[in-house]
C-alpha cells in the first residue's frame, strides 16, 4: 500500500496509508517524553497524558470520552521516555469526528483545577500499583542504575511528592516549553483518501501557531557499569542484567534487533527461554529487550527465579552471552533467525493500530518510513560476523550492569 506524506505550514508532518478496512486509526505522536522534564517536573509529561482528557473550552471530561465511544470507537494515550501520543480507533465514517476531537484536546484543553487534583490520586495509585509489582518496578530501577544522574533514568510516572506539586500553571508551562509543531506527526491508517485526510488535517491542525524546537536534549555520555542488590519481601528473586546499546540512528541497530530476538525475544524458542525455562525449569518469565533512544539505547535481560537458583540462572545467562560472542552462527541457523524476525514483523503489520503508531514514530524520528521489503532486505543483509561483533560489544562482561531484588 502507498504511503503519503505532507508537512503543514506550521511544521506538523502528516503520514497516511490507505487500507481496505472498515476500521481506521489516527493519532498525534509528539517527540516529547519524560526525559524532557526538568528535575522539579518529574512525572509531568505522563500526568498531562491523564489530565488532557479532563476538559476543553467546549467539552467536559464525559463528553470527550463519549465523543468516540458513543460510535463504538476508542481513544487512548501513552507517554514514554521520548514520546507522547494521543490516538483513536474508529469506523472510517468517523474520521472528521475523531480528528476534530484530538485537535480540540491538543489545542483547547483547560485542565480544570478540580480535575487536576482528582487525577493526582489516580496517578498516585498507579505509582503504588507499580511498587506492588516487582517484575515491572525492577525495570525502572534498572534505568536508574544504567543512566545514573541523567533524565532518562527517571521513572516516567514521577514520584508522589512531584505529582502532588503539579498545578495548572506547571502544566501550561511544560506544554509551552515542549509541545513543538515541528516535532509533531499526525499518523493515519484507514480507508480514506489522502486528499480527504489532508483536508481534515488542514482544517483542524493547521491553525495551531508554529512553535519550533530550539533547544537540544541533554545527551547521555557517562555510563559506568554497576551492580546493586536490593532486599525485598518477594517470593521470587528478580534480576535484570544489561548494558547501554545503540541509538536509533546507529547502523548496527537492526543487527541488535535480530540478536535480541535470537537471545530472548517473544518466541518460545529463544535461547534464554530454552536454557532457563524449557531445559532447567528455573524461570517462568525470562526475556530480553532492546530500546533505542535518539542518542543512546538500552539492552537488558530479565528473569524471575527461586532465591536459591539465582547464581545458577546468572551462569546460564552468561553462557548464552559467551556462545553468541565466541561462536558464529551457521548459515542455516542464521537463516532461520532472520525468517523468524521477518515473520514477526509481517504479522505485526497486520495490526493496523500498531501500524499507525509505527508509521508515526518512524516518520517522527527518521522523516521517512522504510517499506516492508526494504526492512526485510536489511535483515537479510546481516551477517554472522556482524552479530558476533555486536555481541562482543553489548555482552562484554566488563560493561554489564546487574540489579537484583532478593
Amino acid at each position: 500500500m502507498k504511503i503519503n506524506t505532507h508537512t503543514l505550514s506550521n511544521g506538523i508532518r502528516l503520514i497516511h496509508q490507505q487500507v481496505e478496512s472498515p476500521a481506521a486509526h489516527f493519532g498525534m505522536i509528539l517527540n516529547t517524553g519524560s526525559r524532557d522534564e526538568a528535575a522539579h517536573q518529574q512525572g509531568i509529561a505522563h500526568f498531562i497524558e491523564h489530565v488532557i482528557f479532563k476538559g476543553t473550552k467546549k467539552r467536559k471530561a464525559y463528553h470527550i470520552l463519549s465523543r468516540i465511544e458513543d460510535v463504538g470507537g476508542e481513544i487512548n494515550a501513552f507517554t514514554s521516555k521520548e514520546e507522547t501520543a494521543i490516538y483513536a480507533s474508529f469506523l472510517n465514517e468517523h474520521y472528521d469526528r475523531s480528528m476534530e476531537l484530538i485537535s480540540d484536546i491538543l489545542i483547547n484543553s483547560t485542565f480544570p483545577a478540580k480535575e487536576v487534583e482528582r487525577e493526582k490520586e489516580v496517578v498516585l495509585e498507579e505509582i503504588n500499583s507499580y511498587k506492588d509489582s516487582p517484575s515491572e518496578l525492577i525495570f525502572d530501577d534498572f534505568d536508574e542504575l544504567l543512566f545514573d544522574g541523567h533524565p532518562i533514568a527517571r521513572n516516567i510516572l514521577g514520584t508522589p511528592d512531584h505529582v502532588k506539586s503539579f498545578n495548572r500553571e506547571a502544566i501550561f508551562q511544560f506544554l509551552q516549553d515542549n509541545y513543538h509543531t515541528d516535532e509533531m506527526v499526525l499518523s493515519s491508517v484507514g480507508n480514506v483518501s489522502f486528499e480527504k485526510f489532508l483536508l481534515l488535517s488542514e482544517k483542524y491542525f493547521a491553525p495551531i501557531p508554529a512553535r519550533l524546537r530550539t533547544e537540544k536534549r541533554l545527551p547521555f555520555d557517562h555510563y559506568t557499569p554497576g551492580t546493586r542488590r536490593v532486599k525485598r519481601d518477594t517470593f521470587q528473586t528478580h534480576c535484570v542484567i544489561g548494558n547501554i546499546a545503540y541509538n536509533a540512528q546507529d547502523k548496527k541497530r537492526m543487527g541488535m534487533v535480530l540478536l535480541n530476538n535470537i537471545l530472548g525475544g517473544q518466541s518460545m524458542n529463544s535461547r534464554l527461554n530454552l536454557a532457563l525455562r524449557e531445559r532447567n525449569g528455573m524461570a517462568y518469565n525470562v526475556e530480553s529487550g532492546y530500546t533505542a533512544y535518539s542518542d543512546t539505547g538500552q539492552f537488558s535481560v530479565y528473569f524471575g527465579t527461586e532465591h536459591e537458583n539465582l547464581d545458577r540462572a546468572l551462569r546460564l545467562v552468561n553462557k548464552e552471552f559467551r556462545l553468541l560472542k565466541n561462536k558464529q552462527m551457521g548459515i542455516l541457523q542464521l537463516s532461520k533467525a532472520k525468517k523468524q524476525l521477518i515473520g514477526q514483523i509481517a504479522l505485526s503489520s497486520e495490526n493496523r493500530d500498531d501500524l499507525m503508531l509505527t508509521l508515526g514514530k518512524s516518520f517522527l524520528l527518521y522523516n521517512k518510513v522504510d517499506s516492508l521489503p526494504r526492512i526485510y532486505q536489511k535483515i537479510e543483509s546481516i551477517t554472522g560476523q556482524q552479530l558476533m561483533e555486536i555481541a562482543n560489544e553489548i555482552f562484554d562482561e566488563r560493561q554489564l550492569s546487574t540489579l537484583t531484588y532478593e
Side-chain angles (χ1 to χ4, degrees):
M1 293 287 186
K2 184 180 180 181
I3 295 174
N4 295 99
T5 62
H6 180 76
T7 302
L8 300 178
S9 59
N10 57 10
I12 296 176
R13 285 170 284 168
L14 318 179
I15 185 164
H16 173 68
Q17 185 171 26
Q18 187 170 355
V19 296
E20 295 291 336
S21 172
H25 311 276
F26 167 75
M28 185 284 297
I29 298 105
L30 175 68
N31 191 20
T32 290
S34 61
R35 74 171 295 182
D36 298 298
E37 300 162 349
H40 68 281
Q41 296 174 318
Q42 293 180 42
I44 199 167
H46 169 261
F47 188 72
I48 290 171
E49 172 203 320
H50 278 247
V51 294
I52 206 166
F53 295 104
K54 297 303 179 181
T56 69
K57 293 176 182 178
K58 65 178 182 180
R59 290 184 173 98
K60 293 185 177 181
Y62 172 79
H63 299 109
I64 290 174
L65 298 178
S66 298
R67 184 67 177 160
I68 296 294
E69 293 185 353
D70 279 354
V71 292
E74 298 176 350
I75 189 166
N76 211 333
F78 71 79
T79 308
S80 69
K81 301 279 185 176
E82 295 191 331
E83 297 155 347
T84 299
I86 306 169
Y87 57 101
S89 298
F90 44 89
L91 294 178
N92 280 288
E93 62 200 79
H94 300 305
Y95 252 100
D96 191 298
R97 171 188 290 243
S98 302
M99 292 180 67
E100 185 277 331
L101 177 65
I102 289 180
S103 72
D104 187 37
I105 292 169
L106 180 64
I107 301 169
N108 299 315
S109 284
T110 56
F111 309 105
K114 288 184 179 180
E115 294 288 353
V116 169
E117 292 305 311
R118 185 182 296 119
E119 204 62 23
K120 288 180 183 181
E121 297 303 318
V122 175
V123 175
L124 291 174
E125 287 303 315
E126 187 177 358
I127 292 172
N128 289 334
S129 73
Y130 266 80
K131 291 179 180 179
D132 283 338
S133 180
S135 62
E136 294 181 352
L137 180 63
I138 195 169
F139 286 101
D140 291 325
D141 287 349
F142 187 69
D143 277 350
E144 291 183 5
L145 176 63
L146 213 62
F147 300 108
D148 184 32
H150 190 275
I152 299 178
R154 299 175 189 149
N155 187 319
I156 293 171
L157 301 182
T159 69
D161 286 343
H162 284 102
V163 171
K164 291 174 184 177
S165 73
F166 298 152
N167 54 34
R168 296 179 73 247
E169 290 72 26
I171 291 169
F172 282 119
Q173 187 64 57
F174 185 81
L175 295 176
Q176 178 68 31
D177 293 342
N178 294 281
Y179 276 44
H180 304 102
T181 52
D182 61 335
E183 297 284 2
M184 291 182 189
V185 167
L186 306 181
S187 183
S188 164
V189 173
N191 193 11
V192 67
S193 69
F194 180 65
E195 288 73 21
K196 180 175 180 180
F197 175 61
L198 179 56
L199 284 172
L200 292 172
S201 298
E202 290 277 4
K203 179 179 179 181
Y204 293 122
F205 292 89
I208 300 175
R211 187 186 303 147
L212 308 183
R213 189 173 198 156
T214 56
E215 294 185 9
K216 293 184 178 180
R217 286 172 169 149
L218 177 69
F220 176 77
D221 56 6
H222 57 270
Y223 173 63
T224 302
T227 298
R228 185 179 301 162
R229 293 197 171 208
V230 179
K231 293 292 184 181
R232 292 182 64 92
D233 185 18
T234 57
F235 291 101
Q236 281 188 312
T237 289
H238 301 266
C239 181
V240 177
I241 180 171
N243 192 3
I244 59 169
Y246 309 111
N247 66 49
Q249 305 288 345
D250 200 294
K251 293 180 179 179
K252 296 179 181 178
R253 182 182 66 87
M254 188 59 76
M256 185 69 227
V257 171
L258 178 59
L259 185 64
N260 175 69
N261 206 52
I262 292 166
L263 180 68
Q266 58 185 286
S267 298
M268 295 293 286
N269 65 351
S270 71
R271 292 193 176 195
L272 287 175
N273 194 69
L274 292 175
L276 270 71
R277 176 171 171 160
E278 299 300 324
R279 296 195 194 107
N280 292 284
M282 297 183 63
Y284 175 69
N285 288 325
V286 55
E287 61 189 53
S288 66
Y290 164 53
T291 302
Y293 298 117
S294 56
D295 60 338
T296 186
Q298 187 235 60
F299 163 78
S300 64
V301 169
Y302 162 80
F303 63 86
T305 189
E306 295 288 337
H307 301 305
E308 61 269 19
N309 290 334
L310 173 62
D311 291 339
R312 187 178 172 211
L314 279 170
R315 286 196 297 270
L316 290 173
V317 171
N318 282 298
K319 179 182 177 181
E320 296 302 325
F321 286 166
R322 287 194 300 273
L323 287 172
L324 289 166
K325 288 193 296 182
N326 300 326
K327 186 177 180 181
Q328 184 170 318
M329 295 180 67
I331 295 175
L332 290 178
Q333 194 178 31
L334 182 57
S335 177
K336 283 178 61 178
K338 291 176 179 178
K339 287 179 179 177
Q340 183 179 61
L341 180 58
I342 288 171
Q344 290 169 353
I345 292 172
L347 290 176
S348 68
S349 71
E350 291 298 309
N351 184 327
R352 301 284 168 70
D353 191 6
D354 285 348
L355 176 61
M356 178 273 295
L357 291 171
T358 299
L359 292 176
K361 290 179 188 178
S362 181
F363 199 41
L364 182 68
L365 192 58
Y366 304 109
N367 208 34
K368 67 174 186 175
V369 175
D370 283 334
S371 65
L372 287 178
R374 176 59 180 152
I375 294 172
Y376 302 158
Q377 184 182 34
K378 287 182 178 181
I379 294 170
E380 291 288 6
S381 69
I382 299 168
T383 67
Q385 180 62 35
Q386 288 172 333
L387 288 182
M388 276 188 66
E389 291 173 0
I390 292 171
N392 275 277
E393 288 180 2
I394 305 301
F395 304 157
D396 182 349
E397 59 185 15
R398 297 165 300 180
Q399 294 297 312
L400 293 174
S401 293
T402 306
L403 172 62
T404 308
Y405 286 173
E406 56 185 9

